[in-house]
């Protein structure tokens, strides 16, 4: 028995299915370009064996533990580390069994597809996970993980990754990236410049973070001019470790293009923790425009990831800390929010701004119309909860007619779950081939064009947009 | 000729259709669990014959008369009773003919499916309703209605209803439920606790209603403590008549978790009709949290039905009163609105909060992510205008990938149209089987799992979530 | 090779495809009724040859140049005239080649379908546009355009247009419409009353425009009463040139029903340019209700087109002026916004208000429920960016179940691109036939009814709603 249907995610109509399969066959062996994600560079630096199935599949995966939690499983029973120092389950096999018993909860979800894919394609598992098969599968994966061929660099090659980007804070020392470079390994692992900690006045430790950035760069970051100079130096440092992009996660998509004196004054207030919430928001918004101006100079692609209400559950945040599956998408406006940025730099063809959304209603109403006219603006792939079969299909159906394919940037997996990377790209490629086959079958695209677009979506657009 | 296609609502692709049919066959005979609705308990108490086809199908059904009205048919011509005492058409056959002439207006709507289903399956009608067939069908249904086998209790059994919930005001005396109990009839008809009249300071007669609640319970409802105690006693009284749930219809999904002193002060203002609109809203929002706390103690499931702009047409409301088809869905926020409630009690596994929406954009953006992490929160089925083929499909497509199946609660018909109950459950079961067949055919679910989930969606989840 | 697949836009399932094709065959030869659009009446008045392919297909089509611009092609390189007097490319063939090289950008967009349709059906082109075929196709179209059979009136007949409406400003002298009438030509070209310039206090030159309207009508438009009388006279003048509708493009759907004294006071402030933004908005909103009242008297159908953020790019607007592809849809509320208008006149069966939206989320949530109850309100077809295969399908899927078919008004092309008119109606008819075939195949409509509805959607509803 196979966990995976080899025709999965293809249209069911026989003629479309055949074409989708042919399209997929023409691209399925293309290397993976992963221009945005959250894998740990330490894995590739140290190249140590992953320790056990639970720490690989359960404990760090917020898609997994949030679903289990929603049905009453305590996060501590899953070994999720506690921020308040409380005890959590340490028996990896016990956690795995709990996961296995509840695996039916993932029916119909992308996690199910990703996990089945990793089980079968990476570890050769053919049984479906359940209470009955829990130990068998645990042992099979655990055995694999002990082998050299399952160490991070080996998997990187086996996954056919041409390039992958991690994401580091602007004040990270990039030690693991240095170690990768020093090692002489030829895997292309690059970083991305994520300055939230030094551009968001409401970020924990903002003032100190800005001071650290000053120390790292030798700039006087107590002044607006020195602060901007420090950003430029850190960006250059990140570029030295392969960075081709910056990344920005704000609550809204608000941008501003303030006069320099006003920006400087806000910065000064921010350093003194005297910004009102609205002032903090204006400062963040203005910094996107400053970052875009730096991007024109240094070529980094600007990514904006707005619209997530972070750490919605006060209890979980208090007990387990940030990023524990409690981030909830919000309604997000782009039309008025992005206008200052777009009016400042949106007409530039030498700049790339990639915008993501968690609010699918904006695809056809706001984002496709904006990306379909501003040269600098491109649409990122379906993000987070929408990185799924239905989510991808909705994206193509709602964005393509107005933005076309060439104002999108291919796929990125945005994941910290290393073994899910081939699965996620497999899903994206299949969905895109299905969509293209549907276009051909309904007379909206010629077949030869579909083959070309399939290559673009699976490989070329990501390479090109992210300059990888 | 049959009105109904026996393969209706199944996928058209032959292989998927076959699987959908098999899935449906495996569940189509399951009893109906109807945990939320608005049938009249008097029917089952008195068990009198329904009087005529018009009063059964036309005059009380807001789906029907709103559509006719939208095309210029006066509500008075349909016999809808006037609140202002004006005359309305009393000739039942004449109204029926008007309905029949305009029946083509329902093409493509769920009402058409429900009515055809009731005609064929309940009354054996095989002709399509039109001006030509109006009298024939009227007579056929009228003849049936005279027979004992078409009285409410007989239909209840014939519809294979295992349990049905009505909805009564917190200050209802539940006389019909008492009469049902006293009769010894074994049909399971339970009530649900709907306290809008005593928790909404803007509800007509609020202060008096609260006083009545005091008299009913022997509590001093002029005090906050007495008011809460009265709720507890009324809830217990409703539980004695089978209630397993409470139900709350607010304009927004706003919740609050106020300090008791502040809540008490608001309550005091409310009793004096001195609340500002925002204070009234805060009080309503806070009462949801109080109700949830009581639910932890007494086990009633909490249902929230927000987002309907009631009585949009001033003319219709003045002439015909409330609930005359003029309620219009509004954009509804859940992320910030539900947070106080969820932070107070959302982490409880011993509590069930079921949230409904009329704003479909919230399925994938807000509700599935919330239900996919908070143990107490579950998603109600597509509601009202969305209780339809396309509406149900959108719900499954948008909610399942993030919330899975097990954070949903099966179907409920939410209807006062008794004869449409089998039709509505038939539609829901068919759509779910179609969705499951699609998942299998596209490699997203194994076939054996689909059969299990089909049982869950058609029967088990509703029983379990509503503790029926 | 044909550019067009003869089964385009039909379902792919063989049985549904066959039915869709039969439905389409039954309506494909029906005349085109085009009740809302922006063709230039001068074409039909003068009946001169169109000059060259570039001026027909590229330079005036904002769908085309916005997409090219989004990929870095300067509008000036496309010959788009500059508002600031700057130079633009004048070499028509060079512009055409630029268009041809970038034609792949339109893959998956409705523009691609429309252009291919016009190429093949109007000009007999069978090669796909590309750098290689650019000159060949340019020459072929250019040759056609020199012939008498390709002049506007000949194409009008060939396109089988029964009636077409242009749109003119309330203070337009309708000279071209006069010239058409005077010519004795029997093509039915009517105008529509668009009073934005004289009802929007923020419109450039508002005060002067109102004065001009006074001069045109002999009314004292410095007074509220004279101003309303002038509207009535202009509407009558437009009716004399066939107008059956008025059209209103506001930023929001806000309506008001103010006491006359308050409206008069606002009008007075507006004439003095003293309205605050909110007052200007209230005045616009109130004028919709005034227009509706005039419609009850003179029978003009009232069209509302809200929700477009106009001229989003300050640079493009400064350099090229208004309407240069930089209009971006916004989130739009209808429930509270339309209430004053609907409470004033929504219950009238002798009035038709047609509302359009760029916010697809309102289809199922707000617009279908509103149109499904108010006699005066009907839903316009999918508008602008949503005038496409996926857009039309979403409209039918989201609006039909609540509003039915008979609260919609058929298709209108809303275009200034004359050669795209047959293509756009072809798309709409195919999509509707596909939707109907799907309803039949899934047991939601009987086959004989589908044939009747197909006629309604393709022809009858537009004629009836627009009284053409």
């Amino acid at each position: 028995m196979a966990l995976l249907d080899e025709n999965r995610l293809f249209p069911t109509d026989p003629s479309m299915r055949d074409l989708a399969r042919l399209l997929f066959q023409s691209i399925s062996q293309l290397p993976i370009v992963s221009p945005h994600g959250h894998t740990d560079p330490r894995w590739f630096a140290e190249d140590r064996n992953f320790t056990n199935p639970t720490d690989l599949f359960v404990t760090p995966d917020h898609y997994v533990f949030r679903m289990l939690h929603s049905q009453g499983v305590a996060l501590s029973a899953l070994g999720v580390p506690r921020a308040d120092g409380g005890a959590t389950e340490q028996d990896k096999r016990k956690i795995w069994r709990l996961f296995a018993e509840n695996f039916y909860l993932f029916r119909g979800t992308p996690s199910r597809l990703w996990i089945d894919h990793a089980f079968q394609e990476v570890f050769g598992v053919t049984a479906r996970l359940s209470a009955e098969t829990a130990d068998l599968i645990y042992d099979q994966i655990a055995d694999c993980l002990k082998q050299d061929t399952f160490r991070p660099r080996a998997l990187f090659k086996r996954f056919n990754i041409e390039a992958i980007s991690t994401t580091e804070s602007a004040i990270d020392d990039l030690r693991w990236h240095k170690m990768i470079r020093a090692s002489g390994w030829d895997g292309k692992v690059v970083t991305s410049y994520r300055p939230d900690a030094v551009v968001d006045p409401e970020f924990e430790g903002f003032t100190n973070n800005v001071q650290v950035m000053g120390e790292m760069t030798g700039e006087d970051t107590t002044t607006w001019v020195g602060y901007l100079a420090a950003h430029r130096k850190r960006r250059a440092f990140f570029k030295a470790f392969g960075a081709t992009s910056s990344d920005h996660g704000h609550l809204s998509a608000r941008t501003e293009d303030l006069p320099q004196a006003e920006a400087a004054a806000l910065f000064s207030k921010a350093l003194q923790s005297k910004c009102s919430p609205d002032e903090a928001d204006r400062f963040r918004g203005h910094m996107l425009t400053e970052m875009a101006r730096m991007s024109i100079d240094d070529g980094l692609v600007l990514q904006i990831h707005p619209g997530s209400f972070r750490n919605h559950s006060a209890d979980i945040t208090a007990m387990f800390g940030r990023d524990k599956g409690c981030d909830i998408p919000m309604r997000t406006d782009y039309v008025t929010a992005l206008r200052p940025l777009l009016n400042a730099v949106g007409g530039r063809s030498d700049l790339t701004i990639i915008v993501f959304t968690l609010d699918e209603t904006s695809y056809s109403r706001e984002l496709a119309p904006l990306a379909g006219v501003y040269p600098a603006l491109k649409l990122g792939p379906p993000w987070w909860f929408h990185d799924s079969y239905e989510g991808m299909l909705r994206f193509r159906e709602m964005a393509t007619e107005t933005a076309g394919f060439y104002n999108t940037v291919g796929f990125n997996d945005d994941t910290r779950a290393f073994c899910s990377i081939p699965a996620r790209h497999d899903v994206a490629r299949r969905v895109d081939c299905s969509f293209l086959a549907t276009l051909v079958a309904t007379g909206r695209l010629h077949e030869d064009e579909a083959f070309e677009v399939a290559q673009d979506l699976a490989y070329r657009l990501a390479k090109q947009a992210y300059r990888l």
Side-chain angles (χ1 to χ4, degrees), chain A:
Chain A
M1 178 190 160
L3 288 175
L4 302 174
D5 180 337
E6 62 175 17
N7 288 315
R8 67 191 173 278
L9 312 186
F10 291 155
T12 55
D13 177 272
S15 65
M16 281 201 285
R17 174 160 284 198
D18 288 347
L19 178 55
R21 193 192 296 109
L22 286 173
L23 287 164
F24 180 68
Q25 283 167 355
S26 76
I27 57 151
S28 63
Q29 302 306 314
L30 286 173
I32 285 174
V33 176
S34 175
H36 176 90
H38 299 276
T39 51
D40 189 343
R42 184 173 183 174
W43 297 334
F44 310 113
E46 299 190 326
D47 199 32
R48 290 197 193 146
N49 294 78
F50 292 107
T51 49
N52 63 73
T54 297
D55 287 346
L56 193 59
F57 280 104
V58 184
T59 309
D61 188 333
H62 55 79
Y63 288 90
V64 168
F65 61 67
R66 79 190 309 277
M67 176 65 92
L68 297 171
H69 180 64
S70 78
Q71 290 281 316
V73 177
L75 294 189
S76 52
L78 295 166
V80 177
R82 286 178 66 155
D84 63 0
T88 63
E89 181 58 56
Q90 292 303 315
D91 183 334
K92 305 299 179 187
R93 189 176 290 267
K94 192 171 165 195
I95 296 170
W96 184 263
R97 286 175 183 161
L98 191 55
F99 171 48
E101 280 160 28
N102 288 287
F103 190 61
Y104 72 95
L105 297 175
F106 295 94
R107 288 171 179 165
T109 72
S111 293
R112 165 66 183 271
L113 260 188
W114 300 333
I115 292 166
D116 277 0
H117 190 281
F119 277 15
Q120 177 172 316
E121 299 296 308
V122 183
F123 299 103
V125 171
T126 55
R128 192 163 74 213
L129 187 63
S130 67
E132 290 69 38
T133 61
D135 282 341
L136 183 82
I137 294 175
Y138 187 92
D139 292 336
Q140 184 168 344
I141 295 174
D143 283 349
C144 289
L145 292 178
K146 288 175 197 147
Q147 300 168 37
D148 284 354
T149 51
F150 287 84
R151 284 160 56 196
R153 291 183 180 182
L155 288 177
F156 185 101
K157 294 294 181 184
R158 183 169 152 204
F159 292 169
N160 197 17
I161 296 173
E162 180 176 311
I164 197 168
S165 177
T166 66
T167 305
E168 271 76 40
S169 165
I171 50 175
D172 190 282
D173 60 13
L174 302 186
R175 77 174 64 179
W176 306 113
H177 283 277
K178 281 180 198 162
M179 191 168 158
I180 295 169
R181 295 291 169 111
S183 78
W185 180 55
D186 70 342
K188 186 168 182 178
V189 179
V190 305
T191 184
S192 176
Y193 187 66
R194 175 98 178 201
D196 296 359
V198 289
V199 302
D200 176 4
E202 294 175 327
F203 202 96
E204 206 187 323
F206 170 76
T207 303
N208 185 57
N209 297 338
V210 171
Q211 190 186 323
V212 168
M213 186 166 70
E215 288 156 10
M216 285 177 133
T217 56
E219 295 289 342
D220 177 4
T221 52
T222 64
T223 72
W224 172 242
V225 170
Y227 169 71
L228 293 182
H231 270 294
R232 279 189 210 97
K233 283 194 178 168
R234 291 305 293 164
R235 291 167 65 103
F237 180 72
F238 272 63
K239 280 190 72 172
F241 291 96
T244 69
S245 67
S246 69
D247 185 31
H248 307 268
H250 295 183
L251 180 58
S252 77
R254 178 176 182 177
T255 63
E256 295 287 351
D257 184 19
L258 305 174
Q260 288 294 304
E262 197 178 334
L266 274 181
F267 176 64
S268 176
K269 280 182 103 166
L271 283 187
Q272 299 165 68
S273 304
K274 289 185 178 164
C275 281
S276 69
D278 182 63
E279 287 172 332
D281 203 41
R282 289 177 66 213
F283 184 74
R284 284 190 297 265
H286 177 74
M287 283 308 296
L288 285 174
T289 306
E290 291 294 344
M291 289 287 125
R293 289 205 187 94
M294 292 184 197
S295 281
I296 292 173
D297 295 334
D298 65 20
L300 295 190
V301 168
L302 180 81
Q303 299 173 95
I304 307 178
H305 282 87
S308 177
F309 187 117
R310 303 277 171 176
N311 309 307
H312 193 270
S313 164
D315 282 355
I316 297 283
T317 308
M319 206 177 287
F320 296 93
R322 300 172 58 88
D323 302 329
K324 289 299 174 293
C326 293
D327 301 339
I328 310 291
M330 293 191 76
R331 211 151 58 201
T332 306
D333 157 66
Y334 294 90
V335 181
T336 56
L338 291 180
R339 194 164 181 246
L341 174 70
L342 292 173
N343 271 323
V345 298
R348 304 285 303 227
S349 301
D350 54 351
L351 170 67
T352 301
I353 299 168
I354 300 174
V355 66
F356 295 77
T357 193
L358 293 171
D359 182 352
E360 295 179 298
T361 69
S362 66
Y363 288 154
S364 68
R365 187 182 56 217
E366 305 179 20
L367 291 177
L370 286 167
V373 72
Y374 281 103
L377 195 67
K378 301 281 174 285
L379 303 185
W383 178 34
W384 204 331
F385 299 105
H386 311 311
D387 176 11
S388 61
Y389 173 83
E390 302 284 358
M392 290 175 184
L393 216 51
R394 280 196 292 269
F395 174 71
R396 291 290 176 211
E397 289 172 354
M398 295 203 275
T400 308
E401 293 187 323
T402 292
F405 290 111
Y406 298 95
N407 287 308
T408 65
V409 299
F411 180 67
N412 66 59
D413 51 71
D414 192 22
T415 192
R416 65 201 75 230
F418 189 42
C419 290
S420 78
I421 288 177
R424 290 171 191 249
H425 287 262
D426 177 82
V427 170
R429 289 171 178 191
R430 285 171 182 269
V431 174
D432 283 337
C433 289
S434 293
F435 181 68
L436 290 168
T438 306
L439 290 186
V440 173
T442 52
R444 290 181 280 159
L445 193 69
H446 295 159
E447 192 170 311
D448 64 310
E449 297 177 290
F451 279 91
E452 195 178 313
V453 177
Q455 296 271 335
D456 293 332
L457 300 184
Y459 181 72
R460 278 195 292 250
L461 284 174
K463 255 183 98 83
Q464 211 172 290
Y466 282 92
R467 306 172 186 193
L468 278 167

